[in-house]
Amino acid sequence: MDMVGVVYMSRSTRPMQSDDLDRLLMDARTYNAEKDVTGVLLYGASQFFQYFEGHPADVEDVYERIRRSSLHQQLVELERRRVPQRFFHKWFMGFRDAPASAIQKLSQQRWMHEIPWAEDHSATSPGMQQLMAFLDTGSIEDA
Ligand SMILES: Cc1cc2nc3c(=O)[nH]c(=O)nc-3n(C[C@H](O)[C@H](O)[C@H](O)COP(=O)(O)O)c2cc1C
């Protein structure tokens, strides 16, 4: 069955303390585990960056909850497409602190939207590759 992945960035409506983030993640992970949605959230300097993946209907449910949250605003979708496989098998929502510069660089990568007649569905976007590199090494090459 097809899997869908979504990438977006947004700004927190107020600076998030670690308690606020703990609460958010606890809530998100509980719901994501029910829906089998996996992914990772980055936060730094009032900037959120998130990737989440799962079966289309489940991703829609989670996306709706995310869009409704009063904790952030100015959500900009960077990628939304079928993904060849799940990237985060065990993370119902992983978390990393990230410097604003890393989130800025990630946002400037090439992300892919579904273009049915032109896309290679099996390819991983350059943006996704950089996200993986950041999780692995803690840094990002310039776009
Ligand atoms: C940056 C961000 C990421 C979120 N990620 C998820 C998620 O992965 N899964 C989920 O079910 N809800 C997610 N949510 C929603 C929250 O878990 C929860 O609904 C929210 O903290 C409560 O928002 P409220 O204060 O507006 O009621 C996210 C919210 C924000 C702001």
Side-chain angles (χ1 to χ4, degrees), residues 1-5 36 38 53-56 81-86:
M1 196 176 159
D2 277 351
M3 304 275 292
V4 172
D36 205 14
T38 48
E53 64 192 0
H55 295 306
R81 62 191 295 254
R82 267 183 281 166
V83 288
Q85 84 277 333
R86 207 181 269 277

Side-chain angles (χ1 to χ4, degrees), residues 19-91:
D19 280 2
D20 301 320
L21 286 167
D22 285 348
R23 229 172 293 127
L24 190 168
L25 285 167
M26 188 118 70
D27 187 75
R29 284 170 182 152
T30 304
Y31 194 79
N32 294 356
E34 253 172 57
K35 296 283 175 176
D36 205 14
V37 166
T38 48
V40 66
L41 176 68
L42 311 183
Y43 178 76
S46 294
Q47 200 71 56
F48 285 115
F49 180 99
Q50 191 174 26
Y51 169 76
F52 58 103
E53 64 192 0
H55 295 306
D58 300 323
V59 162
E60 273 316 306
D61 285 350
V62 166
Y63 207 3
E64 183 55 36
R65 279 169 53 87
I66 291 172
R67 278 192 293 243
R68 269 207 315 261
S69 175
S70 61
L71 296 175
H72 61 170
Q73 58 195 350
Q74 297 169 29
L75 188 155
V76 177
E77 186 178 287
L78 298 170
E79 179 163 299
R80 183 181 191 154
R81 62 191 295 254
R82 267 183 281 166
V83 288
Q85 84 277 333
R86 207 181 269 277
F87 291 94
F88 296 90
H89 291 272
K90 299 204 179 87
W91 289 11

Side-chain angles (χ1 to χ4, degrees), residues 90-109:
K90 299 204 179 87
W91 289 11
F92 288 117
M93 194 44 65
F95 178 76
R96 285 290 165 85
D97 283 313
S101 60
I103 294 182
Q104 184 69 20
K105 279 185 190 170
L106 279 174
S107 72
Q108 290 164 354
Q109 300 292 324

Side-chain angles (χ1 to χ4, degrees), residues 99-123:
S101 60
I103 294 182
Q104 184 69 20
K105 279 185 190 170
L106 279 174
S107 72
Q108 290 164 354
Q109 300 292 324
R110 202 160 65 80
W111 296 92
M112 289 178 177
H113 275 87
E114 198 87 28
I115 309 170
W117 61 91
E119 290 261 340
D120 173 0
H121 294 303
S122 65

